[in-house]
Amino acid sequence: MKSIKNALKWKVKSVLRDIKLIISDFWQNTLAGSYLFPWSLRPAFYRMAGNKIGKKVRLSPHIFLGPGKGKLHVGGYSFVNYNCFFDLGDDIYIGENCNIAMNVKFINGTHEIGNQNRRAGAGITGKIWVGSGTWIGADTLILPGVKIGTGVIVGAGSLVTSDLADNGIYIGRPARLYKLLE
């Protein structure tokens, strides 16, 4: 009888967690992410969902926040353009005065390498940090655990697989230092 109670308790928790995800997804990705939703109210809706959105942040429509335990943190006066994806398997931190171009993807979930029966092993996550004053070009892909320094420019179409030092221009797949800035 005790095992039936435990199984039922687990199932109820699972259903409640799924309902919470559905509501969160609808709130953030359908309502707040809609073209019909006013720009001025969008940051407030993301804040109500538990994200940390700074002052005078501009969030374009069609920003997608994935399900997960992470939260999105965007510093004041930053801009996030259309069609950006934030995995949220873990926290994503974007500093102040940043510009994130269209179609940028922040992926902070991956897998350990498994055995030959299943190569995608146990799931793992890593936080992503973007320093203040950074500009990330369109169609860039940022992978788990990456720290992008302050004042960095990441060229369009780049693949960021490792940390990027302050005040540099990085381009390519994978992103490599092209030039240091003052």
Coordinates of all heavy atoms in Angstrom, one line a residue, residues 51-117:
N51 N 12.5 35.8 -14.1 CA 13.7 36.2 -14.7 C 14.1 37.6 -14.2 O 13.3 38.3 -13.7 CB 13.6 36.3 -16.2 CG 13.2 34.9 -16.8 OD1 14.0 34.0 -16.8 ND2 12.0 34.7 -17.3
K52 N 15.4 37.9 -14.3 CA 15.9 39.2 -13.8 C 16.2 40.1 -15.0 O 17.2 39.9 -15.7 CB 17.2 39.0 -13.0 CG 17.1 37.9 -11.9 CD 16.2 38.4 -10.8 CE 16.2 37.4 -9.7 NZ 15.0 37.4 -8.9
I53 N 15.4 41.0 -15.2 CA 15.5 41.9 -16.4 C 15.7 43.3 -15.9 O 14.9 43.9 -15.1 CB 14.2 41.9 -17.3 CG1 13.8 40.4 -17.6 CG2 14.4 42.7 -18.5 CD1 14.8 39.6 -18.4
G54 N 16.8 43.9 -16.3 CA 17.2 45.3 -15.8 C 16.3 46.4 -16.4 O 15.4 46.2 -17.2
K55 N 16.7 47.6 -16.0 CA 16.0 48.8 -16.5 C 16.3 49.1 -18.0 O 17.4 48.8 -18.5 CB 16.5 50.0 -15.7 CG 16.2 50.0 -14.2 CD 16.9 51.1 -13.4 CE 16.5 52.5 -13.9 NZ 17.0 53.5 -13.1
K56 N 15.2 49.5 -18.6 CA 15.3 50.0 -20.0 C 15.8 48.9 -21.0 O 16.5 49.2 -21.9 CB 16.0 51.3 -20.2 CG 15.5 52.4 -19.3 CD 15.3 53.6 -20.0 CE 14.8 54.6 -19.0 NZ 14.1 55.7 -19.6
V57 N 15.5 47.6 -20.7 CA 15.9 46.5 -21.5 C 14.9 46.4 -22.7 O 13.7 46.5 -22.4 CB 16.0 45.2 -20.8 CG1 16.2 44.0 -21.7 CG2 17.2 45.3 -19.8
R58 N 15.3 46.2 -23.9 CA 14.5 46.1 -25.0 C 14.5 44.6 -25.5 O 15.6 44.1 -25.8 CB 14.9 46.9 -26.2 CG 14.8 48.4 -25.9 CD 13.5 49.1 -26.2 NE 13.2 49.0 -27.6 CZ 12.0 49.3 -28.1 NH1 11.1 49.9 -27.3 NH2 11.8 49.2 -29.4
L59 N 13.4 43.9 -25.4 CA 13.3 42.5 -25.7 C 12.3 42.4 -26.9 O 11.1 42.8 -26.8 CB 12.7 41.7 -24.6 CG 13.6 41.7 -23.3 CD1 12.8 41.1 -22.2 CD2 14.9 41.0 -23.5
S60 N 12.8 42.0 -28.1 CA 12.0 41.9 -29.3 C 11.0 40.7 -29.2 O 11.2 39.8 -28.3 CB 12.9 41.6 -30.5 OG 13.8 42.7 -30.7
P61 N 10.0 40.7 -30.0 CA 9.1 39.6 -30.1 C 9.9 38.3 -30.5 O 11.0 38.4 -31.1 CB 8.1 40.0 -31.1 CG 8.2 41.4 -31.2 CD 9.6 41.8 -30.9
H62 N 9.2 37.2 -30.3 CA 9.7 35.9 -30.7 C 11.1 35.5 -30.1 O 12.0 35.0 -30.7 CB 9.8 35.8 -32.2 CG 8.4 35.7 -32.8 ND1 8.0 34.5 -33.4 CD2 7.4 36.6 -32.9 CE1 6.7 34.7 -33.8 NE2 6.4 35.9 -33.6
I63 N 11.2 35.9 -28.8 CA 12.3 35.4 -28.0 C 11.8 34.1 -27.3 O 10.7 34.1 -26.8 CB 12.8 36.4 -27.0 CG1 13.3 37.6 -27.7 CG2 13.8 35.8 -26.0 CD1 13.6 38.8 -26.8
F64 N 12.5 33.0 -27.4 CA 12.1 31.8 -26.9 C 12.9 31.4 -25.7 O 14.1 31.3 -25.8 CB 12.1 30.6 -27.9 CG 11.4 29.4 -27.4 CD1 10.1 29.2 -27.5 CD2 12.2 28.4 -26.9 CE1 9.5 28.1 -27.0 CE2 11.6 27.2 -26.5 CZ 10.3 27.1 -26.5
L65 N 12.2 31.1 -24.5 CA 12.9 30.7 -23.3 C 12.6 29.2 -23.1 O 11.4 28.9 -23.0 CB 12.5 31.5 -22.1 CG 13.2 32.8 -21.9 CD1 13.0 33.8 -23.0 CD2 12.8 33.4 -20.6
G66 N 13.6 28.4 -23.2 CA 13.4 26.9 -23.0 C 13.0 26.6 -21.6 O 13.2 27.3 -20.7
P67 N 12.5 25.4 -21.4 CA 12.1 24.9 -20.1 C 13.4 24.5 -19.3 O 14.4 24.1 -19.9 CB 11.2 23.7 -20.3 CG 11.7 23.2 -21.7 CD 12.1 24.4 -22.5
G68 N 13.4 24.7 -18.1 CA 14.5 24.3 -17.3 C 14.5 25.0 -16.0 O 13.7 25.9 -15.7
K69 N 15.5 24.7 -15.1 CA 15.7 25.3 -13.8 C 16.3 26.7 -13.9 O 16.3 27.4 -12.9 CB 16.4 24.4 -12.9 CG 17.9 24.1 -13.3 CD 18.6 23.2 -12.4 CE 20.0 22.8 -12.9 NZ 21.1 23.5 -12.4
G70 N 16.9 27.0 -15.0 CA 17.7 28.3 -15.1 C 16.8 29.5 -15.3 O 15.6 29.4 -15.6
K71 N 17.4 30.6 -15.1 CA 16.7 31.9 -15.3 C 17.5 32.8 -16.2 O 18.8 32.7 -16.3 CB 16.5 32.6 -13.9 CG 15.5 31.9 -13.0 CD 14.1 31.9 -13.5 CE 13.2 31.1 -12.6 NZ 11.9 30.9 -13.2
L72 N 16.9 33.7 -16.9 CA 17.5 34.7 -17.7 C 17.8 35.9 -16.9 O 16.9 36.5 -16.3 CB 16.7 34.9 -18.9 CG 17.2 36.0 -19.9 CD1 18.5 35.5 -20.5 CD2 16.2 36.2 -21.0
H73 N 19.0 36.4 -17.0 CA 19.4 37.7 -16.3 C 19.9 38.6 -17.4 O 20.9 38.3 -18.0 CB 20.5 37.4 -15.3 CG 20.2 36.4 -14.3 ND1 19.8 36.7 -13.0 CD2 20.2 35.0 -14.3 CE1 19.6 35.6 -12.3 NE2 19.8 34.5 -13.1
V74 N 19.3 39.7 -17.6 CA 19.7 40.7 -18.6 C 19.9 42.0 -17.9 O 19.0 42.6 -17.3 CB 18.6 40.9 -19.7 CG1 19.1 41.8 -20.8 CG2 18.3 39.5 -20.3
G75 N 21.1 42.6 -18.0 CA 21.4 43.9 -17.4 C 20.8 45.0 -18.1 O 20.4 44.9 -19.3
G76 N 20.7 46.1 -17.4 CA 20.0 47.3 -17.9 C 20.6 47.8 -19.2 O 21.8 47.7 -19.5
Y77 N 19.7 48.4 -20.0 CA 20.0 49.1 -21.3 C 20.5 48.1 -22.3 O 21.1 48.5 -23.3 CB 21.0 50.2 -21.1 CG 20.5 51.2 -20.0 CD1 20.9 51.1 -18.7 CD2 19.6 52.2 -20.3 CE1 20.4 52.0 -17.7 CE2 19.1 53.1 -19.4 CZ 19.5 53.0 -18.1 OH 19.1 53.8 -17.1
S78 N 20.2 46.8 -22.2 CA 20.6 45.8 -23.2 C 19.5 45.6 -24.2 O 18.3 46.0 -23.9 CB 21.0 44.5 -22.5 OG 22.2 44.6 -21.8
F79 N 19.8 45.1 -25.3 CA 18.8 44.8 -26.4 C 19.0 43.4 -26.9 O 20.1 42.9 -27.2 CB 19.1 45.8 -27.6 CG 18.2 45.5 -28.8 CD1 16.9 45.8 -28.8 CD2 18.8 45.0 -29.9 CE1 16.1 45.6 -29.9 CE2 18.1 44.7 -31.0 CZ 16.7 45.0 -31.0
V80 N 17.8 42.7 -27.0 CA 17.8 41.3 -27.5 C 16.9 41.3 -28.7 O 15.7 41.7 -28.6 CB 17.3 40.3 -26.5 CG1 17.3 38.9 -27.1 CG2 18.2 40.4 -25.2
N81 N 17.4 41.0 -29.9 CA 16.7 41.0 -31.1 C 15.8 39.8 -31.3 O 15.8 38.9 -30.5 CB 17.7 41.2 -32.3 CG 17.1 42.1 -33.4 OD1 15.9 42.0 -33.7 ND2 17.9 42.8 -34.2
Y82 N 15.1 39.8 -32.5 CA 14.1 38.7 -32.8 C 14.7 37.3 -32.8 O 15.9 37.1 -33.2 CB 13.5 39.0 -34.2 CG 12.7 40.3 -34.2 CD1 13.3 41.5 -34.5 CD2 11.3 40.2 -34.0 CE1 12.6 42.7 -34.6 CE2 10.6 41.4 -34.0 CZ 11.2 42.6 -34.3 OH 10.5 43.8 -34.3
N83 N 13.9 36.4 -32.5 CA 14.2 34.9 -32.7 C 15.4 34.4 -31.9 O 16.0 33.5 -32.4 CB 14.4 34.6 -34.2 CG 13.1 34.9 -35.0 OD1 12.0 34.6 -34.5 ND2 13.2 35.4 -36.2
C84 N 15.7 35.0 -30.8 CA 16.8 34.4 -30.0 C 16.2 33.3 -29.1 O 15.1 33.3 -28.7 CB 17.4 35.5 -29.1 SG 18.3 36.7 -30.1
F85 N 17.1 32.3 -28.8 CA 16.7 31.2 -28.0 C 17.6 31.1 -26.8 O 18.8 31.1 -26.9 CB 16.8 29.9 -28.8 CG 16.6 28.6 -28.0 CD1 15.3 28.3 -27.7 CD2 17.6 27.8 -27.6 CE1 15.0 27.1 -26.9 CE2 17.4 26.7 -26.8 CZ 16.1 26.4 -26.5
F86 N 17.0 30.9 -25.6 CA 17.7 30.8 -24.4 C 17.3 29.4 -23.8 O 16.2 29.2 -23.4 CB 17.4 31.9 -23.4 CG 17.7 33.3 -24.0 CD1 16.8 34.0 -24.7 CD2 18.9 33.8 -23.7 CE1 17.1 35.3 -25.2 CE2 19.3 35.1 -24.2 CZ 18.4 35.8 -25.0
D87 N 18.3 28.5 -23.8 CA 18.0 27.1 -23.4 C 17.5 27.0 -21.9 O 16.5 26.4 -21.7 CB 19.3 26.3 -23.5 CG 19.2 24.9 -23.2 OD1 18.0 24.4 -23.0 OD2 20.2 24.2 -23.1
L88 N 18.1 27.7 -21.0 CA 17.7 27.8 -19.6 C 17.8 26.4 -18.9 O 17.0 26.2 -17.9 CB 16.4 28.5 -19.4 CG 16.3 29.9 -19.8 CD1 15.0 30.5 -19.5 CD2 17.4 30.7 -19.1
G89 N 18.6 25.5 -19.3 CA 19.0 24.4 -18.5 C 19.7 24.8 -17.3 O 19.7 24.1 -16.3
D90 N 20.3 26.0 -17.3 CA 21.0 26.6 -16.2 C 20.8 28.2 -16.5 O 20.3 28.6 -17.5 CB 22.5 26.2 -16.2 CG 23.1 26.2 -14.8 OD1 22.7 27.1 -14.0 OD2 23.9 25.4 -14.5
D91 N 21.4 29.0 -15.6 CA 21.2 30.4 -15.7 C 22.1 31.0 -16.9 O 23.1 30.5 -17.2 CB 21.7 31.1 -14.4 CG 20.7 30.9 -13.2 OD1 19.6 30.5 -13.5 OD2 21.2 31.0 -12.1
I92 N 21.5 32.0 -17.4 CA 22.2 32.8 -18.5 C 22.3 34.2 -18.0 O 21.2 34.8 -17.7 CB 21.5 32.7 -19.8 CG1 21.5 31.2 -20.3 CG2 22.1 33.6 -20.9 CD1 20.6 30.9 -21.5
Y93 N 23.5 34.8 -18.0 CA 23.7 36.2 -17.5 C 24.2 37.0 -18.7 O 25.2 36.7 -19.3 CB 24.8 36.2 -16.4 CG 24.4 35.4 -15.2 CD1 24.7 34.1 -15.0 CD2 23.7 36.0 -14.1 CE1 24.4 33.4 -13.9 CE2 23.3 35.3 -13.0 CZ 23.7 34.0 -12.9 OH 23.3 33.3 -11.8
I94 N 23.5 38.1 -18.9 CA 23.9 39.1 -19.9 C 24.1 40.4 -19.2 O 23.2 40.9 -18.5 CB 22.8 39.2 -21.1 CG1 22.7 37.8 -21.8 CG2 23.2 40.3 -22.0 CD1 21.5 37.7 -22.7
G95 N 25.2 41.0 -19.4 CA 25.6 42.2 -18.7 C 24.8 43.4 -19.2 O 23.9 43.3 -20.1
E96 N 25.2 44.6 -18.7 CA 24.5 45.9 -19.1 C 25.1 46.3 -20.5 O 26.2 46.0 -20.9 CB 24.8 46.9 -18.1 CG 24.2 46.6 -16.8 CD 24.4 47.7 -15.7 OE1 25.3 48.6 -15.9 OE2 23.6 47.7 -14.7
N97 N 24.2 47.1 -21.2 CA 24.6 47.7 -22.5 C 25.0 46.7 -23.5 O 25.9 47.0 -24.3 CB 25.7 48.8 -22.3 CG 25.2 49.8 -21.3 OD1 24.2 50.4 -21.5 ND2 26.0 50.1 -20.3
C98 N 24.4 45.5 -23.5 CA 24.7 44.5 -24.5 C 23.8 44.6 -25.7 O 22.6 45.0 -25.5 CB 24.7 43.1 -23.9 SG 26.0 42.8 -22.7
N99 N 24.2 44.2 -26.8 CA 23.4 44.0 -28.0 C 23.5 42.6 -28.5 O 24.6 42.1 -28.8 CB 23.8 44.9 -29.1 CG 23.3 46.4 -28.9 OD1 23.7 46.9 -27.8 ND2 22.6 46.9 -29.8
I100 N 22.3 41.9 -28.5 CA 22.3 40.5 -29.0 C 21.5 40.5 -30.3 O 20.3 40.9 -30.3 CB 21.5 39.6 -28.0 CG1 22.1 39.8 -26.5 CG2 21.6 38.2 -28.4 CD1 23.5 39.4 -26.4
A101 N 22.1 40.2 -31.4 CA 21.4 40.2 -32.7 C 20.4 39.1 -32.9 O 20.3 38.2 -32.0 CB 22.5 40.2 -33.8
M102 N 19.8 39.1 -34.0 CA 18.7 38.1 -34.3 C 19.3 36.7 -34.4 O 20.4 36.5 -34.8 CB 17.9 38.5 -35.5 CG 18.7 38.4 -36.8 SD 18.0 39.3 -38.2 CE 18.4 40.9 -37.8
N103 N 18.5 35.7 -34.0 CA 18.8 34.3 -34.2 C 19.9 33.8 -33.4 O 20.5 32.8 -33.8 CB 19.0 34.0 -35.7 CG 17.8 34.3 -36.5 OD1 16.6 34.1 -36.1 ND2 18.0 34.9 -37.7
V104 N 20.3 34.5 -32.3 CA 21.4 34.0 -31.5 C 20.8 32.9 -30.6 O 19.7 33.0 -30.0 CB 22.0 35.1 -30.6 CG1 23.0 34.6 -29.6 CG2 22.7 36.1 -31.6
K105 N 21.6 31.8 -30.4 CA 21.1 30.7 -29.5 C 22.1 30.5 -28.4 O 23.3 30.4 -28.6 CB 21.0 29.4 -30.4 CG 19.9 29.5 -31.4 CD 19.9 28.3 -32.3 CE 18.9 28.4 -33.3 NZ 19.1 29.4 -34.3
F106 N 21.6 30.5 -27.2 CA 22.3 30.2 -26.0 C 22.0 28.8 -25.5 O 20.9 28.6 -25.0 CB 22.0 31.2 -24.9 CG 22.4 32.7 -25.2 CD1 21.6 33.5 -26.0 CD2 23.5 33.2 -24.6 CE1 22.0 34.8 -26.3 CE2 23.9 34.5 -24.9 CZ 23.1 35.3 -25.7
I107 N 22.9 27.9 -25.7 CA 22.6 26.5 -25.4 C 23.4 26.1 -24.2 O 24.6 26.1 -24.3 CB 22.9 25.6 -26.6 CG1 22.3 26.0 -27.9 CG2 22.6 24.1 -26.2 CD1 20.8 26.0 -27.9
N108 N 22.8 25.9 -23.0 CA 23.6 25.6 -21.8 C 23.3 24.2 -21.3 O 23.6 23.8 -20.2 CB 23.5 26.6 -20.8 CG 22.1 26.9 -20.3 OD1 21.1 26.3 -20.8 ND2 21.9 27.9 -19.5
G109 N 22.7 23.3 -22.1 CA 22.5 21.9 -21.8 C 23.2 21.0 -22.8 O 23.3 21.3 -24.0
T110 N 23.8 20.0 -22.3 CA 24.5 19.0 -23.2 C 24.5 17.6 -22.5 O 23.7 17.5 -21.5 CB 25.9 19.5 -23.6 OG1 26.4 18.6 -24.6 CG2 26.8 19.5 -22.4
H111 N 25.3 16.7 -23.0 CA 25.3 15.4 -22.4 C 26.8 14.9 -22.2 O 27.6 15.3 -23.0 CB 24.6 14.3 -23.3 CG 23.2 14.6 -23.4 ND1 22.2 14.1 -22.6 CD2 22.5 15.3 -24.3 CE1 21.0 14.5 -22.9 NE2 21.1 15.2 -24.0
E112 N 27.0 14.1 -21.2 CA 28.3 13.4 -21.1 C 28.3 12.4 -22.3 O 27.2 12.0 -22.8 CB 28.4 12.7 -19.8 CG 28.5 13.6 -18.6 CD 28.5 12.9 -17.3 OE1 28.3 11.7 -17.2 OE2 28.8 13.6 -16.3
I113 N 29.5 12.0 -22.7 CA 29.6 10.9 -23.7 C 29.3 9.6 -23.0 O 29.9 9.2 -22.1 CB 30.9 10.9 -24.4 CG1 31.2 12.3 -25.1 CG2 31.1 9.8 -25.3 CD1 32.5 12.5 -25.7
G114 N 28.3 8.9 -23.6 CA 27.9 7.6 -23.0 C 28.6 6.5 -23.7 O 29.5 6.7 -24.6
N115 N 28.2 5.3 -23.4 CA 28.8 4.1 -24.0 C 28.2 3.9 -25.4 O 27.4 4.6 -25.9 CB 28.6 2.9 -23.1 CG 27.2 2.5 -22.9 OD1 26.4 2.7 -23.8 ND2 26.9 1.9 -21.8
Q116 N 28.7 2.8 -26.1 CA 28.3 2.5 -27.5 C 26.8 2.3 -27.6 O 26.2 2.4 -28.7 CB 29.1 1.4 -28.0 CG 28.8 0.1 -27.4 CD 29.8 -1.0 -27.9 OE1 30.8 -0.7 -28.5 NE2 29.5 -2.3 -27.6
N117 N 26.1 1.9 -26.5 CA 24.7 1.7 -26.6 C 23.9 2.9 -26.7 O 22.8 3.0 -27.2 CB 24.2 0.8 -25.5 CG 24.7 -0.6 -25.5 OD1 24.9 -1.1 -26.6 ND2 25.1 -1.1 -24.3

